[in-house]
Amino acid sequence: MKKLLLIVMLALMPWTAKATEGQENTHFGVGAGFDFSEDAYEFDLHFAWYPVETFGLRASIAFAGEYSDLLDKIVDRWHDDDDYYYYDYGRDYTWRFKFSPSIELRSPAIIKFNSDANLRLFANPGVTLSPGAPGSRGAKWFTWQVRGGIEFNFSIVSLQLGYRCTNFYLYSGNPYSWTEYEPDRDLFPNRYTHSGFASITCHF
């Protein structure tokens, strides 16, 4: 994976030399995104600084959580009457806070729709710092992530759609309390998480 990151970065570096050809007047970006994997959803707020058009630094704060809890909250809103009940299995809701600094490499415009709209590619390798979920023991708190995809730019707004691979795992450290009855069994082993995401950013 480290070799793959190095190859991606080296491949994209020549694009930075072309930054002065079409560098925009905006150097900052603020936005929000939604990530969805097999196990969890994630909502983030991010800030980016682009000293040149094709290279930037990005930082995000995010909350990752279970789909089941999100569904329960929606169902609760639909059923406010006293006649509705659902069975609680006794599992604590698993969620994790995340802070992710990274770099962002962007290609020059591949397709120009007009003077204010274009399409480009981007790669976003970085790391994630995240405390374990409530009830976890020995959860992995330092992980890596690689994001990449396509970016649509419309004036000062950009929309990113892409794929992410990371060794961050929501259930790292066996967060549920009932794992104490089987201390030698790793119910939630470390593994890679693959997900898709969408994010929108306003540049200024």
Side-chain angles (χ1 to χ4, degrees), residues 40-60:
Y41 70 90
E42 181 179 315
F43 175 77
D44 78 79
L45 298 174
H46 57 264
F47 175 82
W49 171 58
Y50 299 98
V52 295
E53 183 185 7
T54 54
F55 175 83
L57 301 177
R58 185 180 188 275
S60 68

Side-chain angles (χ1 to χ4, degrees), residues 39-40 64 66 94-96 130-143 167-176 179 186-193:
D39 304 297
E66 294 179 305
T94 297
W95 66 273
R96 295 181 69 174
S130 176
S136 64
R137 292 170 295 183
K140 185 178 292 186
W141 63 272
F142 182 85
T143 56
N167 63 341
F168 171 86
Y169 185 42
L170 181 68
Y171 300 113
S172 176
N174 295 341
Y176 290 131
T179 59
D186 190 359
L187 298 173
F188 302 108
N190 293 325
R191 69 177 197 185
Y192 296 139
T193 298

Side-chain angles (χ1 to χ4, degrees), residues 16 19-20 23-24 26-27 49-56 106:
T16 61
T20 56
Q23 184 174 344
E24 302 173 355
T26 59
H27 296 282
W49 171 58
Y50 299 98
V52 295
E53 183 185 7
T54 54
F55 175 83
R106 304 187 298 177

Side-chain angles (χ1 to χ4, degrees), residues 29-173:
V30 176
F34 187 77
D35 185 288
F36 44 94
S37 68
E38 177 184 357
D39 304 297
Y41 70 90
E42 181 179 315
F43 175 77
D44 78 79
L45 298 174
H46 57 264
F47 175 82
W49 171 58
Y50 299 98
V52 295
E53 183 185 7
T54 54
F55 175 83
L57 301 177
R58 185 180 188 275
S60 68
I61 55 174
F63 291 93
E66 294 179 305
Y67 291 116
S68 58
D69 182 77
L70 182 63
L71 180 61
D72 287 343
K73 292 184 182 299
I74 295 174
V75 171
D76 285 345
R77 290 181 179 272
W78 286 346
H79 299 84
D80 293 330
D81 55 276
D82 296 333
D83 296 331
Y84 176 74
Y85 300 95
Y86 66 90
Y87 183 74
D88 184 359
Y89 289 93
R91 302 197 324 177
D92 294 331
Y93 163 50
T94 297
W95 66 273
R96 295 181 69 174
F97 169 80
K98 302 175 62 181
F99 172 67
S100 300
S102 60
I103 64 174
E104 187 156 306
L105 305 169
R106 304 187 298 177
S107 74
I110 296 176
I111 300 175
K112 289 188 177 181
F113 303 105
N114 55 51
S115 60
D116 293 325
N118 60 64
L119 179 149
R120 71 174 91 202
L121 301 178
F122 74 93
N124 180 220
V127 297
T128 295
L129 307 176
S130 176
S136 64
R137 292 170 295 183
K140 185 178 292 186
W141 63 272
F142 182 85
T143 56
W144 55 261
Q145 70 170 8
V146 180
R147 301 164 72 251
I150 58 176
E151 177 180 295
F152 299 92
N153 296 283
F154 307 95
S155 185
I156 61 171
V157 176
S158 64
L159 172 66
Q160 291 184 338
L161 301 174
Y163 159 80
R164 182 183 70 168
C165 179
T166 176
N167 63 341
F168 171 86
Y169 185 42
L170 181 68
Y171 300 113
S172 176

Side-chain angles (χ1 to χ4, degrees), residues 2-24:
K2 291 181 180 178
K3 291 182 179 179
L4 177 61
L5 286 176
L6 182 60
I7 292 173
V8 171
M9 292 174 64
L10 291 176
L12 293 177
M13 280 304 242
W15 286 338
T16 61
K18 299 182 180 180
T20 56
E21 297 179 7
Q23 184 174 344
E24 302 173 355

